[in-house]
Amino acid sequence: MMRYLSAFHTDKGLRKKYNQDSLLIQEANTASGTTLLAVLGDGLGGLQKGEIASATMVRAFSDWFQYQYPVLLKQGFTADGLCGSWSHLVSELHRKLTAYRKTYGWSLGTTVEAVLFYEKRYYVFHIGDCRVYQFYKKEGFLQQITKDQTYIQQEIDDGRMTPEEARKDPKRNVLLQCVGAGNDLAPDFIQGELIPGQGFLVCSDGFRHAISTEEIVEGMRLPYSYQEGLMGKQLEELTGRCRRRGEKDDITSIWIQVCR
């Protein structure tokens, strides 16, 4: 059976008065072993009350894990059932935030990054431009699982922009998908097999602007056995490096390490 170590760090960056990121890590025991849920939401900085939107989203997933997930397990867990349950949850939140905007005149929006670890598989639900990476210590390899739902990623996919141009483009933070703003949602749902020793990094865009993939890899390659305290210190060090290089956005990271 799998077990998990977890750590996180969050910072409001150099510009914002409030941290608009919200996160959640919850763990439970089931008949099939330990299961863990990690969620990250980045409230839209350009919209009012972004911190309320991301916190509301995280609370919705926390309630889901406590009340609806056990029902899903009892009925017989399937990937389709999980995707449908999460899609319904986020659609309801999207409707409520949109209605709130119309009633009170505040624009509320948040990205969604939810990762569930159950039995020997992982499941990712993705809206926006936060990211999930897989990390393989032995190979020293960091693989991006999600694809940014942004204007510049669309330009890259269509061959109108290179990744180098995208890093400097002033529209790099323009989202195509956001809970609480825009039209109908089109979330990505990704799943895969878990391997002991595998690591997962869930991060907001502020965590990756000012540091390289190579620096993240080095930060996650602990010289000794994995411990949650050391994992947290490494995330704090990487966050500090982002701040020293002038990162103005919120900086949040979650590290989940898969163990046997």
Side-chain angles (χ1 to χ4, degrees), residues 91-176:
S91 293
E92 281 297 297
L93 180 61
H94 183 64
R95 181 186 61 80
K96 290 177 181 178
L97 292 179
T98 301
Y100 190 92
R101 181 184 71 238
K102 293 178 179 178
T103 301
Y104 297 100
W106 282 353
S107 296
L108 304 177
T110 182
T111 66
V112 177
E113 217 65 48
V115 189
L116 180 73
F117 301 88
Y118 176 63
E119 291 188 325
K120 296 182 179 181
R121 297 189 68 79
Y122 66 86
Y123 305 88
V124 178
F125 193 83
H126 166 75
I127 297 174
D129 64 347
C130 290
R131 289 181 180 178
V132 180
Y133 294 90
Q134 292 182 84
F135 171 67
Y136 301 91
K137 179 181 179 181
K138 184 177 180 180
E139 296 84 356
F141 179 59
L142 192 70
Q143 177 186 23
Q144 184 178 338
I145 298 175
T146 55
K147 178 181 284 190
D148 300 341
Q149 295 178 332
T150 59
Y151 164 79
I152 61 169
Q153 184 62 57
Q154 187 178 74
E155 293 294 289
I156 292 172
D157 291 345
D158 292 342
R160 293 188 292 267
M161 185 181 294
T162 67
E164 291 72 23
E165 291 171 334
R167 280 192 285 269
K168 301 175 183 178
D169 194 280
K171 294 181 180 179
R172 70 179 186 178
N173 293 325
V174 176
L175 294 177
L176 300 180

Side-chain angles (χ1 to χ4, degrees), residues 13-258:
L14 299 177
R15 181 182 62 187
K16 294 183 178 179
K17 185 176 181 180
Y18 301 106
N19 189 337
Q20 295 184 315
D21 290 351
S22 298
L23 65 90
L24 165 74
I25 303 173
Q26 285 187 301
E27 194 171 322
N29 293 319
T30 74
S32 300
T34 302
T35 184
L36 184 145
L37 173 67
V39 181
L40 172 60
D42 182 354
L44 267 69
L47 300 181
Q48 296 170 310
K49 304 299 181 181
E51 66 274 13
I52 294 177
S54 63
T56 301
M57 184 274 297
V58 163
R59 281 196 298 271
F61 271 91
S62 180
D63 290 342
W64 175 89
F65 191 73
Q66 184 174 358
Y67 300 111
Q68 297 180 46
Y69 184 40
V71 176
L72 199 64
L73 294 177
K74 187 175 181 180
Q75 292 174 343
F77 180 89
T78 65
D80 288 343
L82 175 65
C83 183
S85 183
W86 278 355
S87 295
H88 177 73
L89 182 154
V90 171
S91 293
E92 281 297 297
L93 180 61
H94 183 64
R95 181 186 61 80
K96 290 177 181 178
L97 292 179
T98 301
Y100 190 92
R101 181 184 71 238
K102 293 178 179 178
T103 301
Y104 297 100
W106 282 353
S107 296
L108 304 177
T110 182
T111 66
V112 177
E113 217 65 48
V115 189
L116 180 73
F117 301 88
Y118 176 63
E119 291 188 325
K120 296 182 179 181
R121 297 189 68 79
Y122 66 86
Y123 305 88
V124 178
F125 193 83
H126 166 75
I127 297 174
D129 64 347
C130 290
R131 289 181 180 178
V132 180
Y133 294 90
Q134 292 182 84
F135 171 67
Y136 301 91
K137 179 181 179 181
K138 184 177 180 180
E139 296 84 356
F141 179 59
L142 192 70
Q143 177 186 23
Q144 184 178 338
I145 298 175
T146 55
K147 178 181 284 190
D148 300 341
Q149 295 178 332
T150 59
Y151 164 79
I152 61 169
Q153 184 62 57
Q154 187 178 74
E155 293 294 289
I156 292 172
D157 291 345
D158 292 342
R160 293 188 292 267
M161 185 181 294
T162 67
E164 291 72 23
E165 291 171 334
R167 280 192 285 269
K168 301 175 183 178
D169 194 280
K171 294 181 180 179
R172 70 179 186 178
N173 293 325
V174 176
L175 294 177
L176 300 180
Q177 289 282 303
C178 171
V179 178
N183 299 317
D184 294 339
L185 299 174
D188 293 330
F189 185 73
I190 305 150
Q191 58 178 305
E193 184 180 359
L194 287 176
I195 303 169
Q198 188 178 25
F200 287 81
L201 174 67
V202 186
C203 65
S204 61
D205 60 326
F207 182 79
R208 56 181 170 78
H209 286 158
I211 57 177
S212 66
T213 299
E214 291 75 20
E215 288 174 305
I216 296 174
V217 167
E218 286 306 309
M220 296 181 72
R221 291 184 79 169
L222 297 182
Y224 310 109
S225 60
Y226 285 102
Q227 300 175 26
E228 290 180 335
L230 290 176
M231 290 162 59
K233 287 182 179 179
Q234 289 301 104
L235 293 181
E236 185 176 359
E237 164 57 30
L238 289 170
T239 299
R241 198 172 300 182
C242 293
R243 286 180 59 91
R244 290 191 295 272
R245 293 176 184 174
E247 179 57 53
K248 297 181 176 64
D249 204 356
D250 303 316
I251 309 165
T252 301
S253 54
I254 302 171
W255 182 354
I256 308 298
Q257 190 67 34
V258 182

